[in-house]
Amino acid sequence: MSIRRLPETLVNRIAAGEVVERPAAALKELVENAIDAGSGRISVRIADGGIARIEVEDDGSGMTPADMALALERHATSKLPDDAIEAVTTLGFRGEALPSIASVARLTLESRMPGADGWKRVVDNGAVVAEGPAALAKGTRVLVEDLFARVPARRKFLRSGRSEYAACLDVVKRLAMANPTVGFSMEHDGRRVLDVQGGQDRLARVAALTNRDLAANSIGVDLDRGDVHLGGVISLPTYNRGVSDHQYLFVNGRPVKDRLLVGALRGAYADLLARDRHPVVALFLDVPSSEVDVNVHPAKTEVRFRDPQLIRGMIVGGLRRALDEHGFRSVQRPAEAALAAWQQEPVAPAPTTGFLFGNAPRSEPAVHLFGADIAPQADDVARVYDRLMPFAGPSAPVAGRAEIATAPVPQAEAHPLGIARGQIARTYIVAEAEDGLVIVDQHAAHERLVLEQLRGGMTGRAVSSQGLLLPEVVELDEPACDRLEAAAGELATLGVELERFGPGAVMVRATPAMLGTIDCTKLVTDIADDLAGYDAALGLNEKLELVAATMACHGSVRAGRTLNVAEMNALLRQMEITPHSGQCNHGRPTWVKLAMDDVERLFGRK
């Protein structure tokens, strides 16, 4: 078969397969053109999720009739004054969007420059069907109707109108977030769904376009490294979502969904979130144009960095540092639905036998826990601190051992997490703080403390190991043994000492002392699975940090275990001085606070 040149209409349809695969992609191209035109206000109107109708109107610079004709030709653009494509600063630059859209829909283009008359040009699935004068204000209006109406093979792959609408709204939100100086409005089927004013800064625009709870549960990021700047807001690990759709990433003002950036974000939250949970972030990365290539894909959602390791390290390190600085902070307040679940009903009088209601003088170290007086002995306190205080590192107050055995119960206001007053369901510690009631999940909290101690072993503070009286042989498949053998040296820093024992087994000689008596087979099997299951792009140290989370779960105080008051207070004090203790290794909060105002409201006092 001889080679032939494809007709222009077919070439445009092929290009449309890459540029305009759904209504949201067409809308993205049109709004980007409006932004590049210097618009101060952009209005979007869609119908049936954009399948039936997309209209974008702006107050930008406008076009002449001749420019409008050129704009509908492939690879014709005003955004590359020369051939330096690597120095492009506009959102669009390939000259493919308008002709691609016009080849698979009915497109009406209207525009007027200041001091000139307006002009209109109509293209129906690749053919010019009308043109002439148009009445409109300065700027440009683009109307796209019946997308893919004559391409049934493509149209049948579109989702429902509701799903396509959600994708369109996400596109407008991301572009509005990246351009806070521009005002945006959006209507769907005649209903106003978005309206933000221009002249805002980035943080104000992020707050306007995301859930209002993010402001109270977020951390600001502002980091410079050479000519590269990273800014924005990131959520506390305890404020997370089940999907990654709420991660807004921008490079030089361009919304992207780049694998490198997503992987770096995942690395920054490693061991702070469960694998199926995702943080809410809005991150703006500003890089010299010579250090990033935006011409990777026609959709322009991926970029390529000249120094990817610098970018990844900056994101992981910068976000980690910001999270570290917020210590044990967590979502500070129970959800409204949880507060509403408190019942305010008359109850039968409780029997007085065996219960004391706060009548013990503060000078007594005993605490009354639901009918039982528990007075910690000096040797009990020493044992508790031997197990818990190593997490504090060298700054831990050694003198605390004697003080708890003999000193009065400390005042609640002296500690952010308060003083333990009891335990519920052998799972939750109830503490009294100066400004409210604190409830702590003992398993989740101790799991975080164990993890931070294990991570300390990877940064120079060795984790004490406990030799097994009889080494235990764990049988695994050969690839799993290979992975464990390769990581044996690094695992030793975490307190796990093992060696190869034939093709399909490893011999465990020691485990971390802090984990106590554990099931070696299950621990080593889980470690082998983690080494295999995490992203192959991660380095060994990053994988080991994730493995440490698995080990911490094996050695933490379990729900269902009764703690005495010394153990509970020791746990609270450790949380106050341990990084990330506000959330467990899976991103759930380790403690919540019920403010005194809320308590009084429950009883009708306010």
Side-chain angles (χ1 to χ4, degrees):
M1 182 180 293
S2 60
I3 299 175
R4 73 184 183 97
R5 188 183 302 276
L6 296 177
E8 187 70 15
T9 55
L10 183 56
V11 170
N12 284 337
R13 287 193 176 186
I14 292 173
E18 293 182 317
V19 180
V20 197
E21 75 274 12
R22 63 188 305 188
L27 178 59
K28 171 180 176 292
E29 298 291 344
L30 297 180
V31 175
E32 285 182 348
N33 283 344
I35 294 170
D36 286 339
S39 304
R41 180 79 184 178
I42 299 173
S43 300
V44 177
R45 290 174 285 274
I46 65 174
D48 191 22
I51 301 173
R53 178 187 178 95
I54 299 173
E55 183 179 350
V56 177
E57 184 174 2
D58 66 63
D59 59 357
S61 57
M63 292 181 284
T64 65
D67 284 340
M68 293 170 64
L70 275 175
L72 292 167
E73 294 185 9
R74 293 187 70 239
H75 303 311
T77 180
S78 63
K79 301 170 186 178
L80 280 176
D82 52 37
D83 296 337
I85 194 171
E86 68 280 356
V88 65
T89 58
T90 54
L91 295 175
F93 56 89
R94 300 172 66 102
E96 293 178 304
L98 284 179
S100 297
I101 296 171
S103 69
V104 292
R106 180 182 177 88
L107 183 142
T108 301
L109 178 63
E110 299 174 293
S111 190
R112 185 175 78 85
M113 296 184 69
D117 294 330
W119 192 257
K120 176 173 70 175
R121 191 177 181 90
V122 183
V123 182
D124 190 356
N125 286 270
V128 178
V129 295
E131 65 176 322
L136 75 160
K138 178 183 76 75
T140 301
R141 180 165 58 230
V142 184
L143 174 63
V144 179
E145 299 172 289
D146 298 326
L147 188 65
F148 299 130
R150 298 186 191 176
V151 192
R154 177 64 57 82
R155 187 152 191 168
K156 71 180 183 181
F157 283 101
L158 295 180
R159 299 181 183 178
S160 67
R162 184 178 296 274
S163 295
E164 296 297 343
Y165 156 65
C168 289
L169 179 60
D170 182 67
V171 162
V172 176
K173 274 189 175 182
R174 291 177 187 272
L175 288 168
M177 201 175 290
N179 297 273
T181 60
V182 181
F184 285 82
S185 66
M186 181 175 178
E187 295 180 6
H188 179 234
D189 291 337
R191 180 174 61 91
R192 181 67 61 92
V193 295
L194 183 148
D195 193 355
V196 290
Q197 301 302 312
Q200 296 178 309
D201 58 32
R202 280 178 173 176
L203 297 184
R205 179 58 61 87
V206 169
L209 294 173
T210 55
N211 191 298
R212 61 184 180 182
D213 291 337
L214 178 62
N217 297 290
S218 63
I219 302 168
V221 176
D222 189 6
L223 179 65
D224 289 295
R225 186 171 295 177
D227 294 332
V228 182
H229 177 262
L230 177 66
V233 293
I234 60 175
S235 69
L236 292 169
T238 45
Y239 186 82
N240 53 63
R241 304 296 290 263
V243 293
S244 59
D245 292 351
H246 299 271
Q247 296 177 356
Y248 304 96
L249 306 174
F250 306 91
V251 176
N252 292 348
R254 184 188 304 277
V256 298
K257 296 183 179 179
D258 188 76
R259 286 177 293 178
L260 172 70
L261 302 183
V262 172
L265 186 61
R266 189 184 304 118
Y269 278 85
D271 76 44
L272 299 177
L273 285 176
R275 299 183 195 179
D276 60 345
R277 305 300 297 180
H278 306 272
V280 179
V281 304
L283 286 178
F284 300 86
L285 187 66
D286 295 308
V287 187
S289 58
S290 60
E291 298 299 311
V292 59
D293 181 8
V294 298
N295 190 32
V296 176
H297 189 274
K300 304 185 294 295
T301 57
E302 297 180 19
V303 295
R304 186 169 296 142
F305 296 99
R306 185 182 297 273
D307 189 352
Q309 293 305 315
L310 169 69
I311 301 300
R312 175 181 170 81
M314 185 175 182
I315 293 175
V316 175
L319 269 58
R320 271 289 186 181
R321 189 176 306 114
L323 291 167
D324 287 345
E325 289 173 354
H326 285 74
F328 65 91
R329 186 181 168 199
S330 173
V331 173
Q332 299 294 308
R333 176 185 173 88
E336 294 297 331
L339 283 175
W342 285 78
Q343 297 183 10
Q344 297 175 327
E345 300 176 357
V347 295
T352 57
T353 305
F355 286 82
L356 297 174
F357 296 91
N359 54 358
R362 281 194 177 271
S363 59
E364 297 179 10
V367 174
H368 304 289
L369 298 174
F370 308 101
D373 290 352
I374 299 179
Q377 302 298 317
D379 57 337
D380 290 334
V381 176
R383 175 170 44 79
V384 170
Y385 272 79
D386 284 341
R387 185 168 67 253
L388 293 178
M389 289 310 289
F391 301 132
S395 61
V398 178
R401 299 183 181 179
E403 291 175 2
I404 288 191
T406 60
V409 175
Q411 298 293 324
E413 56 267 22
H415 302 286
L417 292 182
I419 301 302
R421 301 303 188 199
Q423 185 183 27
I424 301 174
R426 296 188 295 178
T427 302
Y428 302 102
I429 298 170
V430 180
E432 178 191 356
E434 180 181 16
D435 55 349
L437 191 68
V438 177
I439 303 176
V440 178
D441 183 332
Q442 66 189 42
H443 170 66
H446 195 245
E447 186 177 6
R448 168 56 60 182
L449 300 182
V450 173
L451 174 60
E452 293 302 322
Q453 174 67 357
L454 289 171
R455 290 180 62 195
M458 301 176 62
T459 57
R461 301 194 306 272
V463 175
S464 299
S465 60
Q466 174 178 289
L468 302 181
L469 184 61
L470 294 174
E472 187 167 336
V473 176
V474 179
E475 295 184 354
L476 299 164
D477 58 43
E478 191 167 348
C481 293
D482 291 339
R483 289 189 292 271
L484 288 168
E485 184 180 23
E490 288 76 13
L491 289 173
T493 66
L494 299 177
V496 179
E497 298 178 10
L498 52 80
E499 60 187 54
R500 194 66 175 263
F501 193 73
V506 294
M507 179 182 291
V508 183
R509 295 191 175 277
T511 58
M514 70 182 68
L515 302 189
T517 303
I518 58 173
D519 184 338
C520 284
T521 299
K522 189 173 187 312
L523 174 66
V524 173
T525 302
D526 286 350
I527 292 175
D529 290 344
D530 285 346
L531 289 173
Y534 287 114
D535 190 346
L538 296 179
L540 181 57
N541 284 342
E542 290 176 289
K543 286 187 178 182
L544 287 176
E545 286 211 6
L546 301 174
V547 166
T550 297
M551 294 173 59
C553 193
H554 280 269
S556 56
V557 171
R558 295 290 174 182
R561 174 182 162 187
T562 301
L563 301 179
N564 64 39
V565 70
E567 291 175 314
M568 289 188 283
N569 276 317
L571 188 65
L572 296 176
R573 300 294 77 78
Q574 286 302 117
M575 291 175 64
E576 291 168 351
I577 58 176
T578 300
H580 313 302
S581 63
Q583 63 277 329
C584 74
N585 309 341
H586 311 293
R588 294 186 295 271
T590 59
W591 62 276
V592 294
K593 179 180 288 185
L594 193 63
M596 286 307 301
D597 286 346
D598 292 325
V599 175
E600 293 180 346
R601 206 170 284 120
L602 290 172
F603 289 96
R605 290 178 176 270
K606 282 198 173 183

